[in-house]
């Protein structure tokens, strides 16, 4: 499924079902950012890759967000940012943060910006 246009090139961003570290996840990847296992079993970009935009749906797991959804990724690609709901440790409730594309990490959270209006999921 095509989710939108890559923030870094003219490619389409696709949603692919995959398995990472034994868990079923979705991979949102620019069609120009392909990875493969090289001779030493390293997972590296292919020689014909011209882009690096790849995001796994469990990218925010450490902030207790189980899945970054296709709809959230669509909005990110359309609007340049999206709002996500994160959960604190047990008992500390939920909070909202903006997410933007990141060259280094695929996506990153804007920790310093307060979300004033909560988007609907
Ligand atoms: Zn791209």
């Amino acid at each position: 499924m095509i989710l939108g246009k890559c923030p870094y090139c003219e490619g389409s961003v696709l949603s692919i079902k995959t398995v990472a570290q034994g868990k079923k996840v979705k991979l949102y990847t620019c069609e120009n950012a392909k990875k493969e296992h090289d001779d030493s079993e390293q997972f590296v970009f292919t020689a014909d890759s011209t882009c690096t935009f790849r995001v796994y749906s469990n990218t925010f797991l450490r902030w207790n967000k189980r899945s970054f959804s296709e709809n959230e990724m669509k909005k990110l690609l359309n609007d340049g940012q999206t709002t996500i709901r994160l959960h604190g440790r047990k008992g500390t409730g939920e909070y909202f943060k903006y997410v933007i594309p990141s060259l280094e990490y695929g996506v990153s959270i804007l920790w310093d910006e307060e979300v004033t209006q909560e988007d609907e999921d």
Side-chain angles (χ1 to χ4, degrees), residues 2 8 12-13 17 33 35 39 46 48 50 53 57 61-62 64 69 74 81 90-91 94 101-102 105 108-110 114:
I2 294 176
Y8 303 116
S12 298
V13 174
K17 283 184 187 148
K35 280 194 164 182
D39 296 340
T46 61
D48 64 341
T50 53
F53 187 68
S57 61
L61 201 58
R62 85 173 85 154
N64 300 313
S69 73
K74 270 187 197 167
Q81 69 173 38
K90 210 173 172 188
E94 59 186 35
S102 156
Y105 302 110
S108 62
I109 297 171
L110 292 179
E114 294 299 322

Side-chain angles (χ1 to χ4, degrees), residues 18-110:
T18 184
V19 174
Q21 290 159 359
K23 292 265 185 347
K24 279 187 196 167
V25 295
K26 289 189 183 118
L27 170 64
Y28 311 126
T29 177
C30 173
E31 62 187 344
N32 298 317
K34 286 166 281 184
K35 280 194 164 182
E36 64 183 1
H37 290 280
D38 70 6
D39 296 340
S40 57
E41 292 298 306
Q42 295 270 62
F43 200 45
V44 296
F45 284 104
T46 61
D48 64 341
S49 286
T50 53
C51 190
T52 59
F53 187 68
R54 289 164 62 92
V55 178
Y56 285 97
S57 61
N58 63 358
T59 185
F60 299 123
L61 201 58
R62 85 173 85 154
W63 296 285
N64 300 313
K65 181 173 173 58
R66 258 187 229 155
S67 179
F68 185 53
S69 73
E70 287 179 346
N71 280 338
E72 288 169 321
M73 180 50 98
K74 270 187 197 167
K75 193 164 191 310
L76 179 83
L77 298 173
N78 264 324
D79 302 347
Q81 69 173 38
T82 189
T83 308
I84 57 166
R85 183 170 58 194
L86 303 172
H87 298 271
R89 286 168 194 269
K90 210 173 172 188
T92 59
E94 59 186 35
Y95 56 102
F96 293 81
K97 284 290 168 191
Y98 294 118
V99 168
I100 57 164
S102 156
L103 259 183
E104 197 173 351
Y105 302 110
V107 285
S108 62
I109 297 171
L110 292 179

